[in-house]
């Protein structure tokens, strides 16, 4: 997943004089960037306006006055239907590789569904729990790193202790996960972003998924929160299928271990899409039972709009190819600039994701925060150092998450040039200073 | 709030022979109803299709492709804006009698916002809490009865102990509330449905609101969950204004005591409206801070649709008069039938609400469950006995909640006739049998 073409000589091979000259040149380059007064932003993992426009058909009065009933005859404008309308569950069951009975369709946010699940676990425990998690002495969670900052924020909100585990090119380090989960009953679960992970773009292989599904865990209710946020968000012709984690869990005798989440936030409208939860039939029943204690039903009208807009699962797949047409060139631009400007220097590596929303850039250890500060001086906002780690703590201070979807192609390219200059400058500072 | 015109002689004044004849006649009447094979339903406190049609303008492509930005220039299709869009907060601040800074606009359910607030209190405590409610030895809540079943279900989900307090014609019995809350620090709060309460239709007077706002409480974080679900849902020209509970709380030195909830569920679409939370600026900040730990923002597109549809607070008020035109005749029909069929018998009393969604019928003590069973035999679904009490326990077995908005006018009238017959029969059974 890492690349560096060889245009330049590694900094490590250069003499002190050469390094000093390099440092001087980079300082001058940085000063020119600062003087240019840029104002760019690579922090936002959200769709661009052009992408949102792809779904403007949703605004056109779909599910209009003469079309307010779902196929069961229910008026979608009114209360009810905790699990969402059948035709949308069916459509996304197809896309997620599960049966409709294994899917609930909710409101506009899968993150909110994750919060709901954690609240349910905390107050009442899950299908296989011996007691509510809130009554355990201690609850810990495995967090593959780098990972999604909002996952960590959510756990921290519960005072759930986070235990980092390494990511590999094929997903979380399953041996390390099995070692920890197998021996420690306070470890109650883990996060997985299986497809085009945030931020490193990796895809969980069938083998890793099978290992996670079948491993013995000390906690009987070990729960994999399987956040399949980018399941359909391909950037290349090599469209990776997500591992069938629910099937693998069932086959391994742990049918309730994994709970899957997905949404149309990065398919239709980030703020006005539909979110999904999938799991065993028991898990879906457990979820809707608790949901019913404090909710009457999701926005079924918006769900019906989505059904009318897409028509079918293939309609969604075709729609995702139009997203790709818009954003793949932005990812290409980042790679092209990083290749040209950092390739061969031996001070950075970066991912070349086949999907998703992020590129993960590893700069020289100990310089990520400095790179981000330098970029800020030059008018480029980058995600704070350590964001992809629990409590914002990147032990090596090397990871930077780049989000190229929102800015224009020109801005992505300009911002990446700044990132490259700052990466070179920070490395040179450290090599010369150290 | 109770009525009984005097058409018939009280059953209590009748001789045993007269009562026996009355019982026989009612039995025969009930048998005829059973034979008629009706299928009616007075359980559903939800708008009728005709009411929903009033808001079909929301379906017409409002907030269309050329109108996707709020007045701050934010693309409502994208992520963000935890507190909701400014223009909708402003519009409902006007309607709720608070300032825009005191309002957050959310998703499609105020019940979900109540759940969120209770989760926040449970995990972290409120603005004035000494510790999270979940770390208290015991948490109790005052529940004015009769009240809203979903409020009680929600508390029960947290294992919060419910302490019933009586309702009066002007809201909860404030003296009893003050006595309990003033002496017992485990009593952490109370429910209030201030305007056209579910189910008794009462309106909290300024005096009661002031008493609740100013009373001394043993718990420093005593919280009034002020569910103003029917604030604008008038049935007569006497449009009751809701008491200014937030102003009264602030004036009394307890600015964070009350948290208000409202929604457009019974204004626009029950399943696809917008919900609101209002409180002190500190409370709104507290709520959005916790919300931000597991949510990115509400459906702002639907919020903008609502702004476009209403235009102004007066647009909402005018819209509510159209609802009244549809549902007031249904409430009138219930009253007319009950007056004619139960008036003077001395076995039942019922409310004559000036707004809201319910009529509360008190039948002879000990017969509510029997009335409901008899009605079921005759094909009329009524809300289960005790629904308006914590744990479904009506100690007098006398309260029945009637919801006349959803069925057609003819069905409301027919169903109420069945209710009246069953009320007479159950009373006669008890008087003759006892």
């Amino acid at each position: 997943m890492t690349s560096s073409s060889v245009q330049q000589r590694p900094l490590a091979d250069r003499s002190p004089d050469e390094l000093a000259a390099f440092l001087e040149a980079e300082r001058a380059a940085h000063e020119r960037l600062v003087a240019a007064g840029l104002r760019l932003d690579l922090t936002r993992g959200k769709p661009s306006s052009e992408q949102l426009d792809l779904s403007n058909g949703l605004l056109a009065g779909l599910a209009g006055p003469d079309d307010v009933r779902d196929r069961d005859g229910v008026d979608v404008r009114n209360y009810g239907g905790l699990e969402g309308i059948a035709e949308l569950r069916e459509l996304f069951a197809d896309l997620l590789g599960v049966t409709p009975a294994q899917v609930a369709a909710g409101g506009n946010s899968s993150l909110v569904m994750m919060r709901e699940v954690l609240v349910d676990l905390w107050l009442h425990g899950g299908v296989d729990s011996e007691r509510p998690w809130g009554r355990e002495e201690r609850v810990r969670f495995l967090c593959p790193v780098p990972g999604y900052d909002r996952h960590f924020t959510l756990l921290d909100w519960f005072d759930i202790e986070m235990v980092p585990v390494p990511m590999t090119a094929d997903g979380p380090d399953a041996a390390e996960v099995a070692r920890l989960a197998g021996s420690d009953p306070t470890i109650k679960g883990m996060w997985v972003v299986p497809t085009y992970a945030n931020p490193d773009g990796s895809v969980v292989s069938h083998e890793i998924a099978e290992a996670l599904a079948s491993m013995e865990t000390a906690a009987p209710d070990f729960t994999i929160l399987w956040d399949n946020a980018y399941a359909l968000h391909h950037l290349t012709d090599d469209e990776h299928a997500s591992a069938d984690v629910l099937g693998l869990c069932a086959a391994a005798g742990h049918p309730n271990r994994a709970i899957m989440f997905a949404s149309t936030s990065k398919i239709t409208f980030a703020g006005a899409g539909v979110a999904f939860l999938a799991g065993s039939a028991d898990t879906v029943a457990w979820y809707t039972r608790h949901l019913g204690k404090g909710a009457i039903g999701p926005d079924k009208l918006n769900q019906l709009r989505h059904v009318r807009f897409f028509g079918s699962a293939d309609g969604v797949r075709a729609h995702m190819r139009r997203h790709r047409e818009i954003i793949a060139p932005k990812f290409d631009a980042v790679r092209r600039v990083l290749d040209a400007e950092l390739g061969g220097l031996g001070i950075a590596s970066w991912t070349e994701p086949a999907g998703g929303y992020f590129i993960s850039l590893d700069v020289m250890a100990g310089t990520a925060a400095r790179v981000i500060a330098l970029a800020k001086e030059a008018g480029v906002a980058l995600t704070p150092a350590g964001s992809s780690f629990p409590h914002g703590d990147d032990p090596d201070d090397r990871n930077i998450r780049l989000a190229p979807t929102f800015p224009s192609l020109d801005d992505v390219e300009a911002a990446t040039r700044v990132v490259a200059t700052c990466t070179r400058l920070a490395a040179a500072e450290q090599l010369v200073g150290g």
Side-chain angles (χ1 to χ4, degrees), chain A:
Chain A
M1 72 185 178
T2 291
S3 144
S4 52
S5 59
V6 188
Q7 293 99 336
Q8 302 171 84
R9 200 153 48 94
L11 290 196
D13 296 351
R14 303 194 190 188
S15 71
D17 281 357
E18 284 173 328
L19 277 178
F22 183 90
L23 173 60
E24 214 44 53
E26 295 305 326
R27 269 201 186 122
H30 183 255
E31 273 164 27
R32 284 191 299 274
L33 290 170
V34 172
L38 300 172
R39 198 149 169 252
L40 302 169
D41 192 329
L42 284 179
T43 66
R44 291 168 296 190
K46 64 186 197 180
S48 64
S49 296
E50 203 184 347
Q51 289 176 267
L52 297 171
D53 287 344
L54 295 176
S55 301
N56 276 352
L58 281 172
L59 305 172
L62 280 176
D66 301 322
D67 180 22
V68 294
R69 292 186 183 274
D70 68 12
R71 72 178 183 207
D72 296 326
V74 172
D75 189 330
V76 295
R77 301 170 302 178
N78 223 322
Y79 287 120
L82 277 174
E83 69 290 339
I85 67 172
E87 48 266 62
L88 188 63
R89 297 165 66 204
E90 192 172 286
L91 197 158
F92 271 82
D94 180 340
L95 293 165
L96 298 172
V98 299
T99 67
Q102 289 181 288
V103 179
N108 75 326
S109 168
S110 56
L111 184 63
V112 165
M113 287 177 122
M114 297 172 212
R115 183 185 60 181
E116 287 169 344
V117 161
L118 282 166
V119 168
D120 296 343
L121 289 166
W122 198 259
L123 294 178
H124 294 278
V127 176
D128 296 323
S129 295
E130 290 164 333
R131 65 189 72 82
W133 286 14
R135 294 210 195 120
E136 301 282 357
E137 285 288 307
R138 191 180 189 189
V139 175
R140 307 205 295 165
F141 226 73
L142 301 180
C143 295
V145 290
Y148 178 33
D149 54 348
R150 287 185 184 272
H151 287 166
F152 307 147
T153 299
L154 189 51
L155 293 181
D156 193 42
W157 190 59
F158 286 88
D159 270 329
I160 292 175
E161 215 177 294
M162 292 179 266
V163 181
V165 294
M167 286 293 281
T168 75
D170 298 319
D173 180 336
E176 177 69 359
V177 168
R179 190 183 67 77
L180 290 163
S183 60
D184 182 348
T186 72
I187 292 183
K188 286 296 208 176
M190 72 182 298
W191 288 109
V192 178
V193 182
T195 315
Y196 311 133
N198 174 354
D200 76 356
S202 63
V203 176
V204 172
S205 66
H206 175 84
E207 290 68 30
I208 296 276
E210 192 167 38
L212 298 176
S214 62
M215 67 185 176
E216 291 306 313
T217 61
D221 55 351
F222 183 90
T223 302
I224 300 174
L225 298 179
W226 183 268
D227 183 0
N228 213 349
Y230 310 103
L232 310 167
H233 302 58
H234 314 292
L235 286 167
T236 75
D237 289 336
D238 186 12
E239 301 191 345
H240 292 267
S242 301
D244 174 22
V245 70
L246 298 183
L248 290 167
C249 283
H254 309 127
N256 311 310
R257 177 172 290 179
I259 306 179
M260 187 191 299
F261 303 91
S263 81
T264 72
S265 293
K266 294 182 180 87
I267 296 176
T268 58
F269 295 147
V274 180
F276 302 91
L277 173 147
S280 69
D282 282 348
T283 296
V284 173
W286 167 86
Y287 169 71
T288 51
R289 179 163 56 83
H290 286 297
L291 187 64
K293 304 298 186 180
I296 304 181
D299 184 341
K300 299 184 298 298
L301 179 58
N302 201 36
Q303 296 186 353
L304 188 62
R305 271 190 207 105
H306 278 72
V307 170
R308 296 289 181 263
F309 179 63
F310 287 125
S312 68
D314 277 339
V316 177
R317 293 185 186 102
H319 184 82
M320 293 313 293
R321 284 191 282 274
R322 290 189 281 274
H323 277 286
R324 175 184 157 191
E325 285 169 16
I326 296 170
I327 65 174
K330 298 180 181 181
F331 282 81
D332 290 343
V334 173
R335 181 169 53 228
R336 206 170 47 243
V337 171
L338 294 180
D339 273 350
E341 305 223 354
L342 296 176
L345 292 177
I347 58 169
S349 61
W350 51 93
T351 57
E352 294 185 2
Y357 261 57
F358 302 102
I359 288 165
S360 182
L361 170 67
D362 276 341
V363 297
M364 184 179 282
T367 71
R370 177 65 180 156
V371 170
I372 290 162
L374 288 166
K376 187 178 178 191
E377 289 172 23
V380 173
L382 297 176
T383 307
S387 292
S388 298
F389 294 77
H391 307 296
D393 178 24
D394 174 1
D396 299 324
D397 186 27
R398 68 181 308 159
N399 187 253
I400 297 175
R401 189 187 83 171
L402 305 178
T405 59
F406 189 73
S408 71
L409 181 56
D410 284 350
D411 284 358
V412 166
E413 192 168 323
T416 309
R417 286 190 193 285
V418 173
V419 171
T421 298
C422 298
T423 299
R424 287 194 307 259
L425 175 52
E429 286 174 345
Q430 178 153 299
L431 288 168
V432 171

